[in-house]
Amino acid sequence: MRLRLPESLGRGFNLFWGGQLVSTVGDRVTIFVVPTLMIFKLHASALQVGVVAMAQYLGIPLLGPVAGVLVDRWDKRWTMLSCDLVRLAAVTVIPVAYWQGFLSTPLLFGCVAVVSGATIFFNVGYLVAVPAVVEKPHLIRAYSRLEGSNSVAEVAGPSIAAGLYNAFGVAALLVDAASYLVSAACFRFMRPWGEKTVAQGSVWERLTLGFRLNWDDPVLRRVVLAAVTLNSGGPIFVTVLPVLAYRGLGVSVATYGAAMSVAAAGALLGAVVAPKISERLGLGRTFAWALLLHCLVGLGVLAAPALPAGPVIAVTMGCYGFFMSCINVCSAPTRQLRMSAENQGVMHAAYRSVTWGVIPLAALVGGVAVALLTGPLGIRDAARVAMAGGTLLAAFSFVSAVRIQPLLDAADRQKEQVAGTEPELADTTS
């Protein structure tokens, strides 16, 4: 039997895809190493871990709205290349500061915040890049491949990060710095795309337009409400997880890295099967049920320490990642198909600002909750209570999402009716 290779989506997409795969693996290293470094080297508290986790998303409510307007007016390929170089510099500062003896929680906060700010501009371009280099009929396949490569990075990243940290300590962060250089090189060799958009209106008018577009469209409004609810609870779970693993359950760095890599295999599987599920159930229905199941499976972490912590974390996060991939594969195409090309940038920026803007607060709440509950409950039970509360809150995202599919079906029927009447109208006028 001959192995059937996936059909190419073009040189531009392949360069973009390859650069993002390398960069995402590097990101996994930093995401893993920073809290590990704080807990074991800086002896940081749960509150400090939460504060630095907050910095990862802090720029979203501050820079997100204007990012869409500015990126629309800039050359998007060069914008993304520049963002990679800024992130390279910010990540490199962390190991240098450690070697020089002045690494601290405030400095980590600043470096992570700079990376967050550059990532905001990068992500606006990212969401515009895919429809710019891939034809509309292939969008779901393109997002499935990107989500699949993200999941591959999730699978390999934690094990690579744990191995690098055990071997090189803080120098492991230089892998992420190098990955940004690879991503920048891929953008450099891509053909020009996503040039400046000539848009009517002032910066303020374009900025507010993005929010209006997301709210006025009934599908986009429900996607926004679902994402806000999800991101109000989910980051609590993710922020507290390493605290629970390392301090509450006594998991080693190597075991935690291996568990997270095994867990991420579920995310890879989700990216592969999500297009088939959405074809059968519809984008909206798949999105809604994936939201609910993504949240509920997180409660599986409560099985530790009654069951071995490593396998519990792996299985729980594997299911967690599977449904997260389904959410991501369905969300972006659903939003992009509702918006014209000239308004993609401001629409995506406003969406990110609102839906990701709650993440810094949620991450901080996770750290504060554990700090307040540790006294009466102990670190392990405090972390378990905070994670369970965040998971149950996020599960209410299903309420907003469950009506998306009927709206999409109604829009499709309307298009079919319009298409069916056009030839008849043409005959009557001839």
Side-chain angles (χ1 to χ4, degrees):
M1 178 183 287
R2 294 178 60 186
L3 179 64
R4 186 176 179 183
L5 297 175
E7 182 182 349
S8 174
L9 295 178
R11 178 178 179 273
F13 176 77
N14 290 337
L15 280 169
F16 179 78
W17 186 19
Q20 294 319 295
L21 173 59
V22 174
S23 179
T24 304
V25 171
D27 290 343
R28 294 300 100 191
V29 174
T30 295
I31 289 172
F32 184 94
V33 168
V34 167
T36 303
L37 177 67
M38 292 185 68
I39 290 171
F40 288 106
K41 298 296 184 182
L42 300 182
H43 307 290
S45 66
L47 177 58
Q48 289 173 315
V49 173
V51 168
V52 173
M54 177 183 69
Q56 185 178 354
Y57 302 97
L58 187 61
I60 296 172
L62 301 178
L63 297 177
V66 73
V69 178
L70 295 178
V71 172
D72 270 347
R73 295 165 184 254
W74 295 342
D75 183 293
K76 298 170 182 61
R77 183 170 64 106
W78 283 100
T79 297
M80 297 176 78
L81 189 157
S82 300
C83 289
D84 276 332
L85 297 180
V86 170
R87 294 188 290 184
L88 182 157
V91 170
T92 302
V93 167
I94 299 174
V96 171
Y98 180 77
W99 294 327
Q100 295 299 315
F102 60 86
L103 182 64
S104 63
T105 297
L107 180 59
L108 271 174
F109 180 95
C111 291
V112 172
V114 169
V115 172
S116 171
T119 300
I120 291 165
F121 285 87
F122 183 93
N123 284 340
V124 174
Y126 179 98
L127 292 167
V128 175
V130 181
V133 298
V134 177
E135 294 181 358
K136 183 177 289 188
H138 305 307
L139 273 178
I140 294 178
R141 283 172 48 212
Y143 278 110
S144 178
R145 293 185 188 182
L146 286 166
E147 192 63 29
S149 64
N150 288 341
S151 300
V152 169
E154 294 274 2
V155 171
S159 289
I160 292 173
L164 289 171
Y165 181 80
N166 283 328
F168 304 110
V170 71
L173 292 171
L174 296 179
V175 172
D176 190 18
S179 74
Y180 288 130
L181 188 61
V182 172
S183 176
C186 288
F187 283 118
R188 175 64 183 83
F189 289 109
M190 289 175 69
R191 291 174 181 168
W193 57 267
E195 293 80 5
K196 302 175 185 178
T197 302
V198 179
Q200 299 295 323
S202 65
V203 171
W204 175 253
E205 290 171 339
R206 293 290 294 170
L207 188 153
T208 55
L209 174 64
F211 292 97
R212 290 202 309 273
L213 290 172
N214 278 283
W215 189 254
D216 291 344
D217 185 282
V219 171
L220 295 180
R221 181 167 62 249
R222 290 182 177 275
V223 173
V224 167
L225 292 174
V228 167
T229 307
L230 177 69
N231 290 340
S232 295
I236 296 174
F237 181 96
V238 175
T239 299
V240 176
L241 180 60
V243 177
L244 173 67
Y246 292 140
R247 290 190 172 157
L249 301 174
V251 173
S252 68
V253 174
T255 300
Y256 184 65
M260 294 302 288
S261 286
V262 173
L268 175 59
L269 179 62
V272 172
V273 303
K276 297 179 182 179
I277 297 175
S278 66
E279 287 177 7
R280 185 175 184 85
L281 300 181
L283 282 172
R285 193 170 291 111
T286 303
F287 177 71
W289 283 103
L291 281 167
L292 180 62
L293 295 173
H294 165 75
C295 298
L296 295 183
V297 297
L299 296 175
V301 78
L302 300 178
L307 296 176
V312 165
I313 293 173
V315 173
T316 298
M317 297 305 292
C319 297
Y320 201 77
F322 176 90
F323 292 113
M324 190 73 249
S325 288
C326 293
I327 293 168
N328 290 337
V329 168
C330 295
S331 174
T334 299
R335 288 182 286 116
Q336 286 177 333
L337 293 173
R338 304 287 293 187
M339 196 56 52
S340 59
E342 63 270 18
N343 291 324
Q344 291 275 349
V346 292
M347 182 270 287
H348 287 308
Y351 172 83
R352 291 263 179 165
S353 299
V354 173
T355 61
W356 286 33
V358 298
I359 295 179
L361 180 59
L364 181 61
V365 166
V368 171
V370 174
L372 293 176
L373 293 173
T374 296
L377 299 179
I379 187 69
R380 185 179 68 193
D381 288 340
R384 283 154 51 93
V385 168
M387 294 173 72
T391 298
L392 293 174
L393 170 61
F396 282 95
S397 57
F398 175 79
V399 175
S400 298
V402 72
R403 285 290 302 164
I404 291 176
Q405 188 62 48
L407 291 171
L408 294 176
D409 291 340
D412 289 340
R413 288 193 298 269
Q414 185 176 10
K415 288 179 182 178
E416 290 174 0
Q417 292 172 357
V418 171
T421 59
E422 282 179 353
E424 183 177 339
L425 290 173
D427 290 342
T428 59
T429 56
S430 60

